[in-house]
Amino acid sequence: MSNEIDWKKEKFAIFILTHGRPDNVVTYDTVRRHGYTGEIYLLIDNEDKMADSYYDKYGDEVIMFDKLAISKTFDQADNFEDRRAIVYARNAVFDVAEKLGLDYFMQLDDDYTSFSIRIDENKNFTHKSVKNLDRHIKSLLDFYKKVPNLKAISFAQGGDFIGGVSCSLLKSNLAKRKCMNSFLCSVHRKFTFKGRINEDVNTYTHEASKGMLFFTFPFVMLNQKVTQTNNGGMTDIYKANGTYIKSFYSVLFQPSSVKVSLINGPSQSRIHHKIKWVNTIPHIISEIYKKR
């Protein structure tokens, strides 16, 4: 089926958001190895000292945006001058994609090592390597097109499956109202990522409070390097500020339903955000409560 998908006709491309590690854009080789055949662009910023190395290695696939200019277009939730964060690229990619004539795109981080199937065609819990990433992206895209209020949709992450068959992602009827890391979006359904860091959580909780939809589907899981161990990218700012401050950005944007909490990781506990969804999203009220 891979060869049957005309990504140019779909007006779709993948953007890899990267900074400071032209020799370690792991995601580029990973998506090709797993069978993605469409266009790939590397999105870098004009404050990247390694820009020339990106152009030398990837040529016309590299697109640069003005980081300071994009920083003035959204709420960063602080008055710091440190722009070592991915939120600038996340917001810039919408206009870049539109200028390229795309309707749809997927923005990926640069440190993905593999993609795995976690739910098979018989809805069994499994763990198999993805052979045809084209087919899985196309399935996400077809679903996305059918849901007008859906702003973005993501592949699952390893942490979503903690607990195995008892994990919360599988209990949530095969769709969870979170969206992180891999964002399938449209230039016709623009939204703005908010906050210098923890921009994904800030955005999907705040936008969800207004009725917008963000989903993670569990069928395919992306695997990435262990957080805060890969030099470059967001690692430096996380090490400098710690995850307490990172998590608190989401509290600033959604204080009625997000708090700072503790999450148990594979080797140690760490500070993390905790979302109370019943207080985050709009609800359909029964007709019996209608004012007569």
Side-chain angles (χ1 to χ4, degrees), residues 21-273:
R21 44 192 181 201
D23 295 326
N24 196 27
V25 185
V26 179
T27 301
Y28 189 99
D29 291 336
T30 298
V31 296
R32 289 300 193 210
R33 187 175 72 251
H34 283 277
Y36 171 68
T37 60
E39 299 286 341
I40 299 175
Y41 297 100
L42 275 67
L43 190 65
I44 66 172
D45 61 79
N46 61 346
E47 297 177 5
D48 194 329
K49 296 178 180 177
M50 303 297 290
D52 288 344
S53 296
Y54 277 107
Y55 285 116
D56 288 344
K57 186 168 184 176
Y58 295 99
D60 294 340
E61 291 180 301
V62 179
I63 298 177
M64 179 183 284
F65 71 95
D66 188 329
K67 202 171 192 179
L68 179 60
I70 202 75
S71 73
K72 298 177 180 178
T73 65
F74 67 96
D75 184 0
Q76 297 174 76
D78 59 39
N79 56 4
F80 304 150
E81 297 296 329
D82 188 349
R83 289 190 288 276
R84 293 177 300 170
I86 199 171
V87 66
Y88 309 100
R90 293 218 187 285
N91 284 326
V93 68
F94 286 90
D95 288 341
V96 172
E98 190 169 17
K99 288 178 181 176
L100 290 171
L102 301 172
D103 285 334
Y104 305 98
F105 61 91
M106 197 163 205
Q107 51 172 289
L108 306 177
D109 292 357
D110 64 359
D111 59 349
Y112 303 160
T113 56
S114 64
F115 291 88
S116 307
I117 298 172
R118 301 311 308 270
I119 308 293
D120 66 17
E121 60 273 19
N122 299 314
K123 297 185 178 180
N124 294 318
F125 196 43
T126 185
H127 196 163
K128 303 175 183 176
S129 179
V130 167
K131 303 295 184 185
N132 188 337
L133 190 58
D134 269 4
R135 182 167 65 89
H136 297 287
I137 294 175
K138 184 64 164 60
S139 295
L140 278 185
L141 181 59
D142 290 343
F143 177 83
Y144 182 86
K145 290 178 179 178
K146 294 177 181 177
V147 187
N149 224 26
L150 179 55
K151 291 291 186 179
I153 188 169
S154 292
F155 289 130
Q157 304 173 98
D160 293 320
F161 296 97
I162 292 175
V165 294
S166 300
C167 68
S168 60
L169 186 57
L170 297 186
K171 289 181 177 178
S172 58
N173 295 320
L174 301 183
K176 195 168 183 178
R177 295 192 69 151
K178 60 177 287 189
C179 200
M180 305 179 76
N181 248 301
S182 56
F183 296 88
L184 194 158
C185 306
S186 171
V187 300
H188 306 296
R189 303 182 194 178
K190 287 184 179 179
F191 59 93
T192 303
F193 286 91
K194 302 168 178 64
R196 189 180 308 275
I197 51 178
N198 225 26
E199 78 293 332
D200 41 17
V201 182
N202 307 340
T203 302
Y204 72 67
T205 54
H206 191 68
E207 293 298 314
S209 73
K210 297 183 287 186
M212 299 297 107
L213 298 175
F214 291 78
F215 286 156
T216 289
F217 272 59
F219 305 104
V220 171
M221 178 184 80
L222 64 84
N223 300 278
Q224 61 189 134
K225 293 192 173 183
V226 178
T227 184
Q228 299 174 44
T229 63
N230 195 21
N231 290 331
M234 291 288 289
T235 301
D236 293 342
I237 197 168
Y238 287 157
K239 286 182 176 177
N241 295 323
T243 52
Y244 174 77
I245 292 177
K246 170 179 179 283
S247 300
F248 220 94
Y249 276 77
S250 298
V251 179
L252 290 175
F253 280 99
Q254 201 61 26
S256 62
S257 61
V258 179
K259 66 179 182 179
V260 175
S261 185
L262 202 62
I263 187 172
N264 295 318
S267 59
Q268 61 182 4
S269 298
R270 61 189 175 97
I271 298 292
H272 205 257
H273 60 265

